[in-house]
């Protein structure tokens, strides 16, 4: 290698690392929505346990529990309880969607509600979900149904949950039943929500049920969730043969993959290596598994899984991306993950301390475009108690979607998290993610506009949609 | 044992007196595998990780200052690395200090010690890792190996040097090289670089600087 080439190498690498710069003035001056195509899905997301109320599952059991030092499992000691009572206020919620001008809604069905015991099926609950999907379609709102969003029936959790391979069979049977019932109204399916988050928070960091800190169990659960996705995709294609929206596809199957930008804290080899390891496990392994049909999970010295899974390859028609933030990664041998993640002082953050980094969404969309599959932003939002900062958050992230589309990335939709303030898992009710605030103390669970409603409506209008007054 | 120590002390005194030029036999320093050395370099480092179809890269200005000093065979080595990110809004500046102690014989040297790596603001601010380096010499040819060498930047390497030129294999996939261009008997320009992959992580660096060999005030430490 000549000396000239050696000198040029770092400069060439620097040129390759060019990233988009999101000037707030440019973002605010853009007529957002005009850069999106007709038929683009602009909607909101929720999950059953977070909004329905009245669910009894492994999460509600966990909510009533405590850590060994007496602290409640949920930060503010809250129980999900009645949540936003969306189980009984669905029509009211649909009205909110119409006011936004949204044309799509992502919600989940609650396995524990539908199958409270191995033998029992709640046909009334199943009929209600079916009616929800029908109502949405009649209102011009495309339903996107999530089959598993973090909660298990207690009878499944009690036998080992996702650590137990027998759960796969039970899940497949549940999916088949839901697909049969809802297939006539639903084409867009999301099998599993954030398998990596569930595995890491429940089995590595131990903040969620079952509260374990076990790298091997983490990898086992993640691999079982990916296998469950493949089984679900197969059942959906078998049982849902009705093209509800007449677009030529009876099923459009995906999973919602939670992604985070992992920024090496510094240029040292140690920090760079642990950031790479974290990215590989958290961001890359799920996508590589569905791309290749082979689950490969490896953490040096701790776990190694390498196995082919039937029907996993080709199991998705789109990749859902749940994007919120960027984490800085610092090598630290005292943690099971060999690192600590944090956000440095001085960065703009949401109420949960997550950095606001819209460029990250652009980076992931362009990154996963190389899969050759359509992408969908299935979640993106911010905890903002005042609601004052959410409008720019929404603008900057829709801008990121438009920038990605301008680069030729096929992004089919954007679902804002969330329609309503809701139960934010271990964080309780304190974080406020809703476009509509909810007065949880009021018997009517009164919904109120936040400033971002007007922002969403502007985007909808620019997209050619019509928010209702 | 006490008489052996007394004999060694007296012997050292006699050999030291032989250096003053009045004696008939000039003192000849025993050669060692390392000589006193100090160097300071500046350059660029890129680091990041790859994924299917792309990569995440950050660019840094790198400053490396290192030196080792021999007290007879006992050897102390210190190094300081500063990495300053060249883009705003990304990683933070870091400083790494390595202190290694060991022994250098006629043909070999072994040094080991901690790396203290600080980044601010970060969590944790300070981390500690071990570092080790060993070498063996045959004439002008030196074979060396190390873990977290070059102030922690090179994960593991095995290399060979011939006079002023050195080349090393960096595990699991990479290379490291250095060359010293002499300016005088005791000073030169040093060009040093590496590039490697470790899993999906990758890093490369190129630095240019000055290297010198200060004259020792103690027997056994001069070039």
């Amino acid at each position: 290698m000549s000396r000239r080439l050696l000198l040029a190498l770092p400069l060439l690498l620097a040129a390759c690392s060019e990233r988009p710069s999101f000037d707030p003035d440019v973002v605010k001056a853009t007529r957002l929505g005009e850069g999106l195509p007709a038929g683009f899905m602009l909607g909101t997301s929720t999950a059953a346990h977070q909004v329905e109320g009245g669910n009894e599952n492994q999460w509600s059991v966990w909510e009533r529990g405590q850590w060994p030092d007496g602290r409640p499992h949920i930060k503010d000691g809250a129980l999900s309880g009645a949540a936003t009572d969306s189980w009984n206020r669905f029509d009211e919620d649909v009205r909110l969607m119409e006011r936004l001008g949204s044309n799509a809604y992502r919600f989940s069905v609650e396995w524990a509600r539908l199958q409270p015991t191995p033998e029992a099926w709640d046909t009334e609950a199943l009929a209600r979900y079916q009616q929800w999907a029908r109502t949405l379609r009649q209102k011009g709102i495309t339903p996107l149904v999530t089959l598993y969003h973090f909660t298990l029936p207690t009878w499944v959790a009690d036998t080992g949950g996702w650590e137990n391979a027998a759960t796969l069979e039970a899940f497949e049977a549940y999916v088949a039943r839901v697909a049969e019932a809802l297939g006539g109204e639903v084409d867009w399916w999301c099998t599993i929500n954030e398998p990596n988050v569930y595995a890491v928070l429940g089995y590595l960091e131990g903040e969620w049920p079952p509260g374990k800190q076990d790298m091997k169990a983490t990898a086992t659960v993640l691999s079982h969730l990916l296998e469950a996705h493949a089984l679900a995709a197969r059942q959906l294609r078998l049982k849902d043969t009705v093209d509800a929206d007449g677009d030529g596809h009876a099923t459009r199957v995906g999973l919602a993959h939670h992604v985070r930008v992992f920024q090496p804290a510094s240029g040292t080899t140690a920090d760079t290596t642990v950031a790479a390891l974290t990215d590989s496990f958290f961001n890359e392994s799920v996508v590589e598994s569905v791309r290749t049909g082979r689950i490969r999970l490896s953490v040096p010295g701790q776990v190694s899984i390498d196995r082919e899974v039937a029907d996993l390859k080709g199991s998705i028609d789109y990749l859902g991306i749940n994007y919120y933030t960027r984490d800085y990664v610092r090598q630290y041998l005292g943690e099971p993950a060999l690192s600590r993640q944090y956000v440095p002082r001085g960065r703009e953050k949401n109420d949960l301390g997550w950095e606001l980094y819209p460029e990250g969404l652009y980076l992931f969309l362009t990154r996963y475009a190389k899969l050759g599959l359509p992408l969908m932003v299935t979640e993106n939002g911010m905890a903002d108690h005042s609601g004052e900062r959410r409008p720019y958050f929404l603008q900057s992230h829709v801008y990121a979607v438009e920038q990605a589309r301008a680069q030729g990335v096929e992004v089919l939709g954007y679902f804002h998290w969330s329609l309503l303030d809701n139960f934010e898992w271990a964080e309780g009710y304190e974080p406020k993610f809703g476009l509509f605030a909810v007065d949880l103390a009021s018997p009517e669970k009164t919904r109120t506009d936040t400033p971002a409603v007007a922002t969403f409506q502007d985007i909808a209008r620019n997209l050619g949609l019509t928010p209702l007054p | 044992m006490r008489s052996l120590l007394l004999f060694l002390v007296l012997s050292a005194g006699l050999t030291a007196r032989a250096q003053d030029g009045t004696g008939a036999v000039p003192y000849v320093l025993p050669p060692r595998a390392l000589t006193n050395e100090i160097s300071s370099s500046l350059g660029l480092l890129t680091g990041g990780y790859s994924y299917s179809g792309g990569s995440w890269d950050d660019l840094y200005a790198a400053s490396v200052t290192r030196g080792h000093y021999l007290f007879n065979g006992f050897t102390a080595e210190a190094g300081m690395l500063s990495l300053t990110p060249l883009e705003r809004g990304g990683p933070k500046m870091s400083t790494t200090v390595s202190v290694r102690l060991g022994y250098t014989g006629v043909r070999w040297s072994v040094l080991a010690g901690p790396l203290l790596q600080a980044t601010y603001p970060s969590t944790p601010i300070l981390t500690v890792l071990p570092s080790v380096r060993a070498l063996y010499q045959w004439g002008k040819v030196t074979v060396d190996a190390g873990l977290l060498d070059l102030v922690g930047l090179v994960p593991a390497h095995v290399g060979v040097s011939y006079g002023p030129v050195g080349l090393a294999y960096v595990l699991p996939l990479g290379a490291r090289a250095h060359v010293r261009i002499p300016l005088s008997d005791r000073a030169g320009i040093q060009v040093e670089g590496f590039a490697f992959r470790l899993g999906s992580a990758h890093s490369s660096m190129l630095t240019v600087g000055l290297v010198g060999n200060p004259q020792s005030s103690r027997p056994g430490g001069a070039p």
Side-chain angles (χ1 to χ4, degrees):
Chain A
M1 191 181 288
S2 73
R3 191 179 302 175
R4 187 176 295 175
L5 191 56
L6 272 173
L7 284 166
L9 185 62
L11 296 172
L12 278 171
L13 287 168
C16 293
S17 71
E18 188 185 337
R19 294 175 195 161
S21 172
F22 285 27
D23 184 328
D25 291 335
V26 174
V27 172
K28 287 173 186 168
T30 303
R31 284 179 59 83
L32 294 163
E34 289 186 348
L36 302 172
F40 184 86
M41 285 195 262
L42 181 67
T44 53
S45 276
T46 61
H49 188 70
Q50 294 175 273
V51 296
E52 283 183 0
N55 280 316
E56 181 62 25
N57 52 37
Q58 115 273 26
W59 252 97
S60 48
V61 172
W62 177 258
E63 290 159 21
R64 296 191 286 269
Q66 293 181 334
W67 299 107
D69 64 4
R71 286 178 300 119
H73 282 152
I74 310 304
K75 264 187 187 164
D76 52 7
L79 305 177
S80 56
T84 61
D85 195 27
S86 290
W87 182 248
N88 299 306
R89 299 176 187 278
F90 184 75
D91 290 340
E92 194 179 337
D93 291 347
V94 173
R95 176 81 188 126
L96 300 179
M97 296 173 215
E98 291 182 297
R99 287 195 47 227
L100 288 170
S102 59
N103 64 1
Y105 179 53
R106 175 178 172 237
F107 67 98
S108 71
V109 291
E110 178 63 35
W111 185 2
R113 188 187 286 282
L114 293 172
Q115 194 178 7
T117 66
E119 298 79 23
W121 267 88
D122 187 334
T123 51
E124 282 185 25
L126 194 56
R128 188 179 299 201
Y129 284 129
Q130 192 180 38
Q131 181 57 45
W132 286 7
R134 187 175 301 125
T135 300
L136 289 167
R137 287 200 336 100
Q138 287 167 351
K139 302 284 186 184
I141 299 170
T142 301
L144 192 164
V145 173
T146 304
L147 293 161
Y148 176 73
H149 199 124
F150 296 153
T151 52
L152 287 171
T154 50
W155 58 269
V156 176
D158 290 346
T159 53
W162 289 111
E163 279 184 276
N164 182 357
T167 298
L168 297 171
E169 194 180 334
F171 181 69
E172 187 177 13
Y174 150 75
V175 170
R177 189 114 183 211
V178 173
E180 275 178 348
L182 270 64
E185 305 293 345
V186 176
D187 288 346
W188 291 87
W189 298 93
C190 173
T191 54
I192 309 275
N193 181 71
E194 299 183 349
N196 50 356
V197 170
Y198 183 82
V200 168
L201 290 183
Y203 294 85
L204 186 63
E205 298 186 1
E207 293 175 13
W208 285 12
K212 290 191 174 182
Q213 290 187 304
D214 180 342
M215 189 68 222
K216 193 175 175 189
T218 305
T220 301
V221 166
L222 183 52
S223 72
H224 281 164
L225 285 167
L226 289 168
E227 197 169 348
H229 154 76
L231 295 171
R234 187 171 65 189
Q235 287 301 325
L236 288 168
R237 294 201 169 97
L238 279 172
K239 306 289 184 184
D240 174 10
T241 54
V242 179
D243 179 4
D245 58 11
D247 69 350
H249 301 279
T251 55
R252 302 292 288 270
V253 180
L255 58 76
H257 178 38
H258 184 107
V259 294
R260 300 172 90 88
V261 174
F262 293 112
Q263 166 73 65
S266 73
T268 62
T269 296
D271 286 347
T272 303
T273 302
V274 291
L277 196 64
T278 310
D279 178 83
S280 178
F281 189 87
F282 200 84
N283 292 329
E284 197 70 357
S285 60
V286 169
V287 173
E288 274 300 285
S289 296
V290 293
R291 186 179 72 82
T292 62
R294 195 169 188 89
I295 298 173
R296 285 196 180 95
L297 299 169
S298 173
V299 176
Q302 297 191 64
V303 67
S304 180
I305 292 175
D306 185 353
R307 65 190 176 93
E308 197 155 333
V309 173
D311 299 328
L312 185 56
K313 188 176 182 179
S315 60
I316 59 173
D317 301 309
Y318 71 92
L319 177 67
I321 293 176
N322 294 1
Y323 173 77
Y324 290 88
T325 190
R326 165 171 69 168
D327 289 329
Y328 281 65
V329 185
R330 182 94 163 105
Q331 168 264 322
Y332 183 68
L333 299 179
E335 298 281 351
L338 308 177
S339 64
R340 280 195 173 161
Q341 292 162 26
Y342 65 97
V343 177
R345 273 184 289 161
R347 295 276 185 264
E348 198 181 354
K349 302 171 192 174
N350 73 7
D351 293 347
L352 287 169
W354 303 353
E355 184 186 3
L356 308 183
Y357 186 59
E359 294 97 318
L361 179 56
Y362 169 86
L363 291 170
F364 274 113
L365 291 172
T366 50
R367 169 176 174 172
Y368 291 135
K370 300 195 170 64
L371 290 170
L373 286 166
L375 305 176
M376 185 95 80
V377 181
T378 34
E379 281 183 30
N380 173 243
M382 79 174 283
D384 179 17
H385 200 273
S386 70
E388 297 294 332
R389 295 193 298 152
R390 188 174 294 109
Y392 179 69
F393 179 94
L394 177 57
Q395 288 173 319
S396 59
H397 286 78
V398 172
Y399 178 82
V401 172
E402 290 197 355
Q403 292 300 303
R405 281 203 60 95
Q407 295 294 317
V409 180
E410 189 180 4
V411 189
L412 300 176
Y414 172 90
F415 291 78
H416 191 79
W417 185 274
S418 178
L419 176 68
L420 304 162
D421 289 344
N422 56 54
F423 179 73
E424 183 54 32
W425 307 110
E427 304 291 339
Y429 281 109
E430 191 58 33
K432 305 297 184 190
F433 276 93
L435 290 169
F436 293 93
V438 180
D439 180 1
L440 294 167
S442 70
E444 298 81 17
K445 308 288 183 193
T446 309
R447 278 84 159 132
T448 313
D449 293 16
T450 70
V453 168
T455 310
F456 194 102
Q457 289 170 330
D458 287 342
I459 297 167
R461 285 190 197 96
N462 291 338
L463 183 57
L465 302 171
T466 310
L468 296 183
Chain B
M1 178 60 80
R2 191 170 295 172
S3 58
L4 177 62
L5 282 172
L6 185 63
F7 172 75
L8 289 171
V9 170
L10 289 173
S11 302
L14 289 171
T15 47
R17 274 199 296 278
Q19 282 185 286
D20 62 10
T22 57
V25 183
Y27 174 73
V28 178
L29 293 169
R32 293 194 185 273
L34 285 177
T35 57
N36 296 336
E37 185 174 289
I38 186 164
S39 67
S40 187
S41 306
L42 293 172
L44 289 172
L45 177 140
T46 64
Y49 51 85
S50 307
Y51 37 80
S52 56
S55 66
W56 176 281
D57 293 290
D58 293 304
L59 180 67
Y60 305 84
S63 157
V64 188
T65 301
R66 284 174 293 173
H68 53 252
Y69 196 86
L70 280 70
F71 302 87
N72 293 317
F74 294 102
T75 308
E77 184 204 69
M80 187 167 84
L81 163 76
S82 292
L83 295 174
T84 307
L86 294 179
E87 293 167 280
R88 299 177 73 180
K92 297 296 179 184
M93 183 181 169
S94 66
T95 301
T96 307
V97 173
S98 78
V99 179
R100 299 195 290 200
L101 300 173
Y103 190 83
T104 301
V106 174
R107 291 184 177 277
W108 59 274
S109 176
V110 175
L111 301 172
L115 284 166
L116 307 168
Q117 205 262 308
T119 299
Y120 184 82
S122 74
T123 307
I125 291 172
L126 185 71
T127 62
V128 182
L129 288 170
S131 172
V132 64
R133 184 189 178 206
L135 64 83
Y136 194 87
Q137 209 169 53
W138 290 275
K140 284 190 168 182
V141 177
T142 303
V143 176
D144 77 311
L147 286 172
L148 291 175
D149 199 37
L150 217 175
V151 203
L153 285 177
V154 177
H157 79 278
V158 180
V160 61
S161 302
Y162 182 81
V165 179
L167 194 63
Y169 163 61
V170 178
L171 282 72
L173 182 62
R176 173 184 181 182
H178 72 265
V179 61
R180 177 172 170 160
I181 303 159
L183 297 174
S184 71
D185 286 350
R186 293 185 177 279
I189 292 172
Q190 181 160 286
V191 181
E192 185 169 21
F194 67 78
F196 69 83
R197 287 187 64 90
L198 177 60
S200 57
H202 56 253
S203 185
S204 61
M205 186 175 83
L206 184 66
T207 59
V208 181
L210 291 172
V211 56
N213 301 101
Q215 192 162 15
S216 173
S217 60
R218 293 162 188 263

